[in-house]
């Protein structure tokens, strides 16, 4: 049975972005299932918009791996697999290391304090072996760091990749399994940030995620 979308009201928003977010969320929550074929005219009708913003949204979702397109054959929701998930987490780990390196050098003291509070939340979740809490604290911390990097390329990529990262969140597992060793590593990470040691923070973050 086709599940209807609530019609979009484009007033006060960028319609293309709204369609992109709506379709991405539908993939995340299972309204659109892996392997399901996506027809722009059907989706446009279900959302009460023209086909143009739907086509643009599907192109953006293809770039982030949420959608597969075979010209003249089909456009469908992609099937998550271990390889694509592993590649995504590897790339994001490296990118976040770079963002941390830039942010701790460039940010003011107030933002640095906010970042340190984020690391404290990560340390607490790690010490409790609360993996869901660690993921959530990590997302909050990296949102702060991405903004503080003041790098338009990083900001643009993370804005596009956010949906794909959220979709694969359930597949994430900490590389360091021992809570004691992992928490100690996060504490060293915090120390590097507090000292505005961008190089050290980047290296420690990659070590935490198994890419040092």
């Amino acid at each position: 049975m086709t599940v209807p979308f609530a019609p979009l009201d484009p007033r006060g928003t960028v319609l293309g972005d709204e369609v992109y977010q709506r379709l991405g969320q539908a993939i995340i929550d299972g309204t659109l299932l892996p392997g399901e074929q996506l027809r722009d005219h059907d989706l446009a009708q279900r959302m009460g918009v023209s086909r143009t913003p739907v086509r643009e949204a599907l192109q953006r979702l293809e770039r982030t791996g949420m959608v597969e397109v075979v010209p003249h054959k089909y456009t469908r929701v992609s099937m998550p697999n271990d390889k694509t998930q592993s590649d995504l987490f590897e790339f994001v780990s490296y990118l976040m290391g770079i963002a941390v390196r830039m942010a701790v050098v460039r940010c003011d003291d107030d933002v640095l304090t906010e970042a340190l509070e984020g690391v404290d939340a990560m340390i607490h979740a790690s010490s409790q072996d609360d993996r869901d809490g660690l993921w959530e604290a990590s997302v909050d911390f990296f949102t702060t760091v991405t903004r503080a990097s003041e790098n338009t390329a990083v900001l643009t990529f993370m804005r596009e990749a956010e949906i794909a990262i959220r979709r694969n969140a359930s597949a994430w597992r900490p590389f360091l399994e021992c809570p004691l060793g992992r928490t100690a590593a996060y504490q060293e990470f915090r120390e590097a940030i507090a000292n505005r040691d961008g190089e050290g923070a980047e290296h420690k973050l990659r070590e935490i995620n198994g890419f040092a």
Side-chain angles (χ1 to χ4, degrees), residues 84-201:
T84 57
Q85 290 170 338
S86 176
D87 286 350
L88 175 67
F89 291 131
E90 180 182 24
F91 183 75
V92 170
S93 293
Y94 275 96
L95 182 62
M96 286 299 96
I98 295 169
V100 166
R101 183 170 186 156
M102 292 186 289
V104 299
V105 173
R106 298 175 179 176
C107 71
D108 60 30
D109 289 345
D110 288 341
V111 175
L112 184 67
T113 297
E114 182 181 354
L116 290 172
E117 290 172 350
V119 182
D120 287 338
M122 293 158 68
I123 290 171
H124 175 73
S126 178
S127 69
Q128 300 299 309
D129 203 20
D130 177 4
R131 299 189 178 191
D132 289 341
L134 180 55
W135 170 263
E136 293 171 4
S138 298
V139 170
D140 290 343
F141 169 77
F142 289 121
T143 298
T144 299
V145 167
T146 299
R147 183 178 67 249
S149 74
E150 300 178 1
N151 183 284
T152 55
V154 172
L155 290 166
T156 298
F157 173 80
M158 291 306 294
R159 183 168 58 250
E160 290 294 293
E162 176 199 4
I163 289 175
I165 294 170
R166 287 170 53 206
R167 184 193 192 192
N168 289 282
S170 61
W172 179 81
R173 297 291 184 275
F175 172 74
L176 300 175
E177 295 185 0
C178 173
L180 292 177
R182 184 178 61 232
T183 302
Y186 275 116
Q187 289 169 336
E188 292 175 9
F189 179 58
R190 186 192 193 284
E191 183 177 356
I193 292 174
N195 292 330
R196 293 188 180 270
D197 177 6
E199 181 178 357

